[in-house]
């Protein structure tokens, strides 16, 4: 895993030291904005009079992990900045949206990275687990991320070939031959769920045919 420097990072004065032995938790945040990027968020915080972006780390939709304050004192969770590391996530997860798999998996990476650097951490939670707030939003996959199990990157199948799981090839070819699956001109555009449903339909027809 790599962390990236914020381009033209703004830091005013010296950031305060964080006594890592006192740090017991990680607080996960969203931006409550659909697409504000790292520089925009940094700008918000600078305009509020912060010395630098408040988060210790920040994760973009594409899975890029930025070092904000790193392992110095953050400014993200009122009353808990001395004892938590704050990780910000691009996006508004109060809205019914699905976190991109790249961002989700990068979230798991940065949590493991921070836990390895700060062994006294015993709690990983959302901002709301430390104080009264809705952050990081009800659609943030909080428990799933805390579980530490990465999501698999979704496969798209455009052809009946060796890339397609073997169990699905006969059913999909049958569905293509019957005109049930037509594709979109660039290929079949099927995901793993589609393969399953097509297989169920195939079996149902086969059962009916006896
Ligand atoms: Zn927050």
């Amino acid at each position: 895993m790599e962390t990236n420097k914020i381009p033209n990072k703004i830091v005013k004065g010296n950031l305060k030291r964080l006594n890592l032995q006192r740090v017991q938790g990680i607080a996960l945040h969203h931006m409550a904005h659909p697409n504000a990027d790292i520089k925009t968020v940094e700008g918000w915080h600078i305009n509020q009079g912060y010395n630098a972006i408040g988060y210790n780390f920040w994760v973009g939709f594409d899975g890029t992990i930025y070092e904000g304050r790193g392992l110095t004192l953050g400014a993200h969770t009122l009353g808990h900045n001395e004892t938590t590391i704050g990780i910000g996530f691009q996006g508004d997860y109060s809205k019914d949206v699905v976190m991109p798999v790249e961002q989700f998996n990068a979230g798991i990476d940065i949590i493991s990275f921070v836990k390895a650097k700060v062994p006294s951490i015993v709690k990983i939670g959302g901002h709301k687990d430390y104080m009264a707030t809705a952050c990081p939003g009800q659609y943030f996959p909080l428990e799933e991320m805390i579980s530490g199990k990465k999501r698999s990157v979704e496969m798209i199948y455009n052809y009946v070939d060796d890339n397609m799981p073997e169990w699905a090839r006969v059913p999909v070819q049958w569905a293509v031959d019957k005109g049930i699956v037509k594709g979109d001109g660039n290929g079949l555009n099927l995901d793993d769920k589609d393969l399953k449903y097509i297989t169920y339909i195939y079996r149902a027809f086969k059962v009916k045919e006896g």
Side-chain angles (χ1 to χ4, degrees), residues 47-98:
N47 287 340
Q48 284 174 51
Y50 294 17
N51 294 341
I53 191 169
Y55 304 107
N56 297 90
F57 296 94
W58 199 87
V59 184
F61 287 142
D62 66 359
T64 304
I65 298 167
Y66 292 95
E67 186 184 274
R69 305 233 184 165
L71 297 176
T72 66
L73 182 66
H76 52 87
T77 305
L78 196 63
H80 298 270
N81 291 318
E82 304 269 356
T83 53
T84 60
I85 295 288
I87 304 174
F89 287 76
Q90 187 174 21
D92 182 358
Y93 291 104
S94 68
K95 299 292 188 310
D96 189 359
V97 290
V98 176

Side-chain angles (χ1 to χ4, degrees), residues 109-127:
D109 282 338
I110 186 61
I111 288 170
S112 321
F113 174 87
V114 170
K115 278 169 71 185
K117 294 273 184 198
V118 190
S120 51
I121 287 174
V122 290
K123 173 176 172 175
I124 301 160
H127 188 178

Side-chain angles (χ1 to χ4, degrees), residues 28-30 55 76-77 127-128 133 135-136:
L28 307 179
H29 303 259
H30 76 147
Y55 304 107
H76 52 87
T77 305
H127 188 178
K128 68 186 170 74
T133 169
C135 179

Side-chain angles (χ1 to χ4, degrees), residues 15-58:
L15 295 175
K16 289 198 183 119
R17 190 174 160 273
L18 180 61
N19 181 355
L20 292 180
Q21 289 174 341
R22 286 193 59 206
V23 173
Q24 296 184 331
I26 293 176
L28 307 179
H29 303 259
H30 76 147
M31 296 304 105
H33 184 286
N35 54 24
D37 63 11
I38 182 78
K39 290 301 287 181
T40 303
V41 174
E42 180 186 58
W44 292 343
H45 289 185
I46 295 293
N47 287 340
Q48 284 174 51
Y50 294 17
N51 294 341
I53 191 169
Y55 304 107
N56 297 90
F57 296 94
W58 199 87

